[in-house]
PDB file of all heavy atoms in Angstrom:
ATOM      1  N   ARG A 152     112.441 117.410  70.798  1.00 86.00           N
ATOM      2  CA  ARG A 152     111.564 116.592  69.968  1.00 86.00           C
ATOM      3  C   ARG A 152     112.340 115.637  69.029  1.00 86.00           C
ATOM      4  O   ARG A 152     112.321 115.884  67.847  1.00 86.00           O
ATOM      5  CB  ARG A 152     110.702 117.544  69.128  1.00 86.00           C
ATOM      6  CG  ARG A 152     109.573 118.408  69.852  1.00 86.00           C
ATOM      7  CD  ARG A 152     108.409 117.499  70.486  1.00 86.00           C
ATOM      8  NE  ARG A 152     107.925 116.675  69.333  1.00 86.00           N
ATOM      9  CZ  ARG A 152     106.915 116.983  68.537  1.00 86.00           C
ATOM     10  NH1 ARG A 152     106.417 118.186  68.724  1.00 86.00           N
ATOM     11  NH2 ARG A 152     106.403 116.191  67.682  1.00 86.00           N
ATOM     12  N   ARG A 153     112.970 114.660  69.690  1.00 85.00           N
ATOM     13  CA  ARG A 153     113.689 113.776  68.920  1.00 85.00           C
ATOM     14  C   ARG A 153     112.689 112.940  67.927  1.00 85.00           C
ATOM     15  O   ARG A 153     113.081 112.522  66.874  1.00 85.00           O
ATOM     16  CB  ARG A 153     114.369 112.771  69.815  1.00 85.00           C
ATOM     17  CG  ARG A 153     115.579 113.324  70.552  1.00 85.00           C
ATOM     18  CD  ARG A 153     116.711 113.846  69.610  1.00 85.00           C
ATOM     19  NE  ARG A 153     117.195 112.831  68.762  1.00 85.00           N
ATOM     20  CZ  ARG A 153     118.193 111.906  69.081  1.00 85.00           C
ATOM     21  NH1 ARG A 153     118.691 112.106  70.214  1.00 85.00           N
ATOM     22  NH2 ARG A 153     118.640 111.079  68.203  1.00 85.00           N
ATOM     23  N   ASP A 154     111.496 112.781  68.422  1.00 88.00           N
ATOM     24  CA  ASP A 154     110.459 112.138  67.528  1.00 88.00           C
ATOM     25  C   ASP A 154     110.267 112.831  66.205  1.00 88.00           C
ATOM     26  O   ASP A 154     110.133 112.311  65.139  1.00 88.00           O
ATOM     27  CB  ASP A 154     109.221 111.875  68.301  1.00 88.00           C
ATOM     28  CG  ASP A 154     108.536 113.195  68.771  1.00 88.00           C
ATOM     29  OD1 ASP A 154     109.304 114.136  69.110  1.00 88.00           O
ATOM     30  OD2 ASP A 154     107.294 113.294  68.766  1.00 88.00           O
ATOM     31  N   LEU A 155     110.123 114.182  66.429  1.00 91.00           N
ATOM     32  CA  LEU A 155     109.957 115.025  65.239  1.00 91.00           C
ATOM     33  C   LEU A 155     111.181 115.010  64.300  1.00 91.00           C
ATOM     34  O   LEU A 155     111.063 115.009  63.043  1.00 91.00           O
ATOM     35  CB  LEU A 155     109.620 116.470  65.678  1.00 91.00           C
ATOM     36  CG  LEU A 155     109.243 117.488  64.524  1.00 91.00           C
ATOM     37  CD1 LEU A 155     108.116 116.915  63.683  1.00 91.00           C
ATOM     38  CD2 LEU A 155     108.788 118.828  65.152  1.00 91.00           C
ATOM     39  N   GLN A 156     112.377 115.020  64.917  1.00 89.00           N
ATOM     40  CA  GLN A 156     113.648 114.921  64.140  1.00 89.00           C
ATOM     41  C   GLN A 156     113.563 113.626  63.280  1.00 89.00           C
ATOM     42  O   GLN A 156     113.941 113.611  62.159  1.00 89.00           O
ATOM     43  CB  GLN A 156     114.801 114.956  64.964  1.00 89.00           C
ATOM     44  CG  GLN A 156     115.150 116.357  65.603  1.00 89.00           C
ATOM     45  CD  GLN A 156     116.518 116.349  66.296  1.00 89.00           C
ATOM     46  OE1 GLN A 156     117.512 115.870  65.692  1.00 89.00           O
ATOM     47  NE2 GLN A 156     116.574 116.879  67.512  1.00 89.00           N
ATOM     48  N   ARG A 157     113.244 112.545  63.981  1.00 90.00           N
ATOM     49  CA  ARG A 157     113.112 111.264  63.260  1.00 90.00           C
ATOM     50  C   ARG A 157     112.144 111.273  62.109  1.00 90.00           C
ATOM     51  O   ARG A 157     112.417 110.684  60.969  1.00 90.00           O
ATOM     52  CB  ARG A 157     112.850 110.103  64.244  1.00 90.00           C
ATOM     53  CG  ARG A 157     114.008 109.713  65.204  1.00 90.00           C
ATOM     54  CD  ARG A 157     113.750 108.422  65.825  1.00 90.00           C
ATOM     55  NE  ARG A 157     112.696 108.639  66.807  1.00 90.00           N
ATOM     56  CZ  ARG A 157     112.824 108.976  68.090  1.00 90.00           C
ATOM     57  NH1 ARG A 157     114.007 109.158  68.613  1.00 90.00           N
ATOM     58  NH2 ARG A 157     111.813 109.027  68.887  1.00 90.00           N
ATOM     59  N   GLU A 158     110.942 111.930  62.330  1.00 93.00           N
ATOM     60  CA  GLU A 158     110.027 111.980  61.300  1.00 93.00           C
ATOM     61  C   GLU A 158     110.529 112.744  60.014  1.00 93.00           C
ATOM     62  O   GLU A 158     110.405 112.349  58.903  1.00 93.00           O
ATOM     63  CB  GLU A 158     108.725 112.659  61.828  1.00 93.00           C
ATOM     64  CG  GLU A 158     107.960 111.865  62.777  1.00 93.00           C
ATOM     65  CD  GLU A 158     106.748 112.601  63.287  1.00 93.00           C
ATOM     66  OE1 GLU A 158     106.384 113.577  62.678  1.00 93.00           O
ATOM     67  OE2 GLU A 158     106.148 112.103  64.328  1.00 93.00           O
ATOM     68  N   VAL A 159     111.189 113.826  60.289  1.00 94.00           N
ATOM     69  CA  VAL A 159     111.841 114.662  59.264  1.00 94.00           C
ATOM     70  C   VAL A 159     112.839 113.875  58.561  1.00 94.00           C
ATOM     71  O   VAL A 159     112.919 113.876  57.321  1.00 94.00           O
ATOM     72  CB  VAL A 159     112.352 115.996  59.841  1.00 94.00           C
ATOM     73  CG1 VAL A 159     113.100 116.763  58.728  1.00 94.00           C
ATOM     74  CG2 VAL A 159     111.275 116.810  60.411  1.00 94.00           C
ATOM     75  N   ASP A 160     113.738 113.164  59.290  1.00 93.00           N
ATOM     76  CA  ASP A 160     114.809 112.342  58.694  1.00 93.00           C
ATOM     77  C   ASP A 160     114.233 111.311  57.796  1.00 93.00           C
ATOM     78  O   ASP A 160     114.700 111.079  56.670  1.00 93.00           O
ATOM     79  CB  ASP A 160     115.685 111.745  59.795  1.00 93.00           C
ATOM     80  CG  ASP A 160     116.843 110.950  59.231  1.00 93.00           C
ATOM     81  OD1 ASP A 160     117.541 111.470  58.390  1.00 93.00           O
ATOM     82  OD2 ASP A 160     116.971 109.833  59.652  1.00 93.00           O
ATOM     83  N   GLU A 161     113.147 110.624  58.213  1.00 95.00           N
ATOM     84  CA  GLU A 161     112.537 109.556  57.397  1.00 95.00           C
ATOM     85  C   GLU A 161     112.003 110.167  56.083  1.00 95.00           C
ATOM     86  O   GLU A 161     112.152 109.531  55.052  1.00 95.00           O
ATOM     87  CB  GLU A 161     111.420 108.887  58.233  1.00 95.00           C
ATOM     88  CG  GLU A 161     111.925 108.010  59.399  1.00 95.00           C
ATOM     89  CD  GLU A 161     110.838 107.502  60.279  1.00 95.00           C
ATOM     90  OE1 GLU A 161     109.698 107.751  59.908  1.00 95.00           O
ATOM     91  OE2 GLU A 161     111.165 106.825  61.203  1.00 95.00           O
ATOM     92  N   TRP A 162     111.418 111.344  56.191  1.00 96.00           N
ATOM     93  CA  TRP A 162     110.862 111.967  54.950  1.00 96.00           C
ATOM     94  C   TRP A 162     111.934 112.337  54.030  1.00 96.00           C
ATOM     95  O   TRP A 162     111.880 112.105  52.809  1.00 96.00           O
ATOM     96  CB  TRP A 162     109.899 113.151  55.326  1.00 96.00           C
ATOM     97  CG  TRP A 162     109.228 113.643  54.135  1.00 96.00           C
ATOM     98  CD1 TRP A 162     107.968 113.106  53.625  1.00 96.00           C
ATOM     99  CD2 TRP A 162     109.667 114.691  53.198  1.00 96.00           C
ATOM    100  NE1 TRP A 162     107.669 113.933  52.533  1.00 96.00           N
ATOM    101  CE2 TRP A 162     108.636 114.799  52.300  1.00 96.00           C
ATOM    102  CE3 TRP A 162     110.752 115.523  53.267  1.00 96.00           C
ATOM    103  CZ2 TRP A 162     108.779 115.814  51.234  1.00 96.00           C
ATOM    104  CZ3 TRP A 162     110.877 116.455  52.228  1.00 96.00           C
ATOM    105  CH2 TRP A 162     109.952 116.522  51.253  1.00 96.00           C
ATOM    106  N   VAL A 163     112.926 113.067  54.594  1.00 96.00           N
ATOM    107  CA  VAL A 163     113.956 113.633  53.736  1.00 96.00           C
ATOM    108  C   VAL A 163     114.764 112.477  53.038  1.00 96.00           C
ATOM    109  O   VAL A 163     115.020 112.462  51.907  1.00 96.00           O
ATOM    110  CB  VAL A 163     115.026 114.474  54.568  1.00 96.00           C
ATOM    111  CG1 VAL A 163     116.285 114.756  53.774  1.00 96.00           C
ATOM    112  CG2 VAL A 163     114.297 115.695  55.045  1.00 96.00           C
TER     113      VAL A 163
END
Side-chain angles (χ1 to χ4, degrees):
R152 289 291 308 275
R153 290 298 301 275
D154 59 326
L155 186 52
Q156 286 190 49
R157 285 193 293 269
E158 289 177 16
V159 173
D160 182 52
E161 290 173 1
W162 187 87
V163 169

